[in-house]
Each structure stands twice: as C-alpha cells, then as structure tokens.
Amino acid sequence: MNQITSSSFAARSLGIPYLGIFGACSSSMQGLALAAQLIDSKSAKYVMASASSHNATAEKQYRYPTEYGGQKPPTAQWTVTGAGAAVLCCEGIGPKVTSATMGRVIDMGISDPFNMGAAMAPAAVDTIEAHFRDLNIDASYYDLIATGDLGKVGHEIAISLLKDHGIDMPGNIFTDCGFLIYKKNQPVFSGGSGCGCSATVTYGHFLNRMRRGELKRILIVATGALMSLISYQQKESIPCIAHAVSIEM
C-alpha cells in the first residue's frame, strides 16, 4: 500500500496545508490551540484559525427550518450568523496565547436540542477546574473568563456547579459570549450559540479591549455539543466538550 506523507500532501495542495477540525461550538478555541501549538513547535510561522456559523443552517439541520415557524422554549438559543478569524505568528507585540487546556467529553444525559446550555455547562466547569489545577492558579489570575455559548440558562448552571466544586468565581469577571453577542432587548431566548459566537466576540470585542489596555489576561472556554444530525433525532443524549485558551498581553 502506498503511503502519502505530509510533504507529498502539501505538494498536492500547492504547498499550503489545510487542517480541518470539528468540536462543534468549541471549534474556535480548538483551532486557536492547534494554531498556537504549530507556532510553538516551529512547524509554522503564520497560522490562521477561523470559525463560523449560520443561523438558518443550524436551525434546518438540528431543529426546525425557520419557515416552519415552530415555537421555542425559553431555554433555546439563537445561533449566531457570523465568523471570526485570528492570525498567529512567531513574533510580534500583540496579544499572545500562553496556555491551552483541552477538555474531555462530558455527557450528563440531556437530550433536548433546545436546552444546549444545560448540556454544555458541566463540560465548561470540568475544563475550567482542570485548567486551574494544571496551572496551579485560580480565577483571580484572569481579568476575564468567558464561556463560549452557554447562554443565560447554562451560565447560571455553570455558576452553581463551580460553587459545588469549591471554585470561587467572581461574578464581575465570569461571563458568556452567548449573551454578550446580542443586545438585551433582542428576542434571542437564552442567548447566542454557534461556532461564530465565541469567535466573533473573542477575536473582535475581547481583543479590542485588550489592545485598549482594559484587559491583560483572559481565558476563553469555548463549549461544544457533539451531537450529529441523526443522534438528536433518535433522542440520544448529547455529549459535550469545552476547550480553554488563555490569551495575555
């Protein structure tokens, strides 16, 4: 059997290798962590990590088409139509990725695709706990800690679980991209979701705040529900994961 090496693959793709990943809505930080690892290992000098999502596509695939007009419960979230990208390089004066904690799959038996915040919150808490433990730090190390898209419902559950795990998480630094992406008066139920949610808020809003000197150390914990088009229709439980990346000036 002939083997195709990485060098021959790169030649077939005109010398530019593309690495595709999937971690559901956690893909933004999964991609950023992978890009940082490529830079740190000197495997690349410049790497672009991007993530996007589209409201109509998510509704059609995982819930009901918009034209169906189906009603949603308050726990539902509104998938962000948006995209965010970051270019990492081996030198510069901008914000830098300093560490990453890759999460593990957590399945609490929730099968409702209209309650993703509750399904993903335990995974976010597990990754945050692992990040603090591995780096021997606590929440006070950061100026801001943001989950990817737990929304209002999932954020409240995460706060409760953090307390149960003995983690002191100050409310003034703990937030969620899912309810920062939209205005308070927009009818988006529990808040935003999707790969583009954490990507747009992080690569836009948060990095701009860092450049203005408002934030020096942030931790982004992107959350993702690892269900498929078939698994949710079969009422299977929704396994979830969260990946954390710290960005510092």
Side-chain angles (χ1 to χ4, degrees):
M1 178 181 295
N2 294 326
Q3 293 185 341
I4 301 177
T5 64
S6 58
S7 59
S8 64
F9 174 79
R12 288 170 179 263
S13 59
L14 302 179
I16 305 175
Y18 295 89
L19 298 177
I21 60 174
F22 178 77
C25 298
S26 68
S27 295
S28 61
M29 291 304 107
Q30 185 182 12
L32 187 62
L34 175 60
Q37 177 61 33
L38 291 171
I39 296 290
D40 189 60
S41 64
K42 295 180 172 54
S43 299
K45 292 183 178 180
Y46 297 92
V47 182
M48 175 182 285
S50 64
S52 63
S53 56
H54 194 282
N55 180 270
T57 300
E59 292 298 311
K60 178 179 66 176
Q61 291 180 330
Y62 292 102
R63 299 174 186 92
Y64 298 109
T66 305
E67 307 86 81
Y68 185 78
Q71 293 185 337
K72 296 182 179 180
T75 57
Q77 292 174 247
W78 191 272
T79 303
V80 171
T81 299
V87 176
L88 285 79
C89 60
C90 54
E91 58 183 11
I93 60 174
K96 62 180 180 179
V97 174
T98 55
S99 65
T101 299
M102 310 310 291
R104 59 177 179 171
V105 176
I106 304 293
D107 189 343
M108 300 302 293
I110 296 175
S111 59
D112 184 4
F114 292 102
N115 194 5
M116 304 305 298
M120 295 186 293
V125 171
D126 184 76
T127 299
I128 291 172
E129 185 177 26
H131 182 80
F132 290 167
R133 181 181 64 248
D134 292 348
L135 274 67
N136 194 27
I137 58 175
D138 57 27
S140 64
Y141 180 82
Y142 294 103
D143 300 315
L144 180 141
I145 298 175
T147 48
D149 55 344
L150 297 182
K152 297 176 183 177
V153 173
H155 184 69
E156 294 176 359
I157 294 174
I159 292 175
S160 178
L161 289 175
L162 287 167
K163 290 181 180 179
D164 291 343
H165 286 240
I167 298 175
D168 182 20
M169 183 66 75
N172 62 322
I173 69 168
F174 189 47
T175 186
D176 181 75
C177 299
F179 54 75
L180 290 178
I181 187 70
Y182 294 116
K183 295 180 180 179
K184 293 182 179 180
N185 61 352
Q186 288 184 273
V188 292
F189 306 98
S190 182
S193 66
C195 294
C197 183
S198 57
T200 52
V201 174
T202 300
Y203 300 149
H205 178 57
F206 290 154
L207 290 190
N208 284 334
R209 291 189 63 189
M210 296 187 80
R211 293 188 181 95
R212 292 195 298 264
E214 299 173 7
L215 301 171
K216 292 184 178 180
R217 298 170 177 171
I218 67 175
L219 180 69
I220 309 300
V221 189
T223 44
L226 306 177
M227 60 183 183
S228 72
L229 301 178
I230 302 299
S231 63
Y232 91 93
Q233 293 179 1
Q234 295 177 335
K235 306 300 180 182
E236 294 182 10
S237 60
I238 303 173
C240 298
I241 197 167
H243 304 303
V245 176
S246 62
I247 305 174
E248 302 182 23
M249 290 296 295

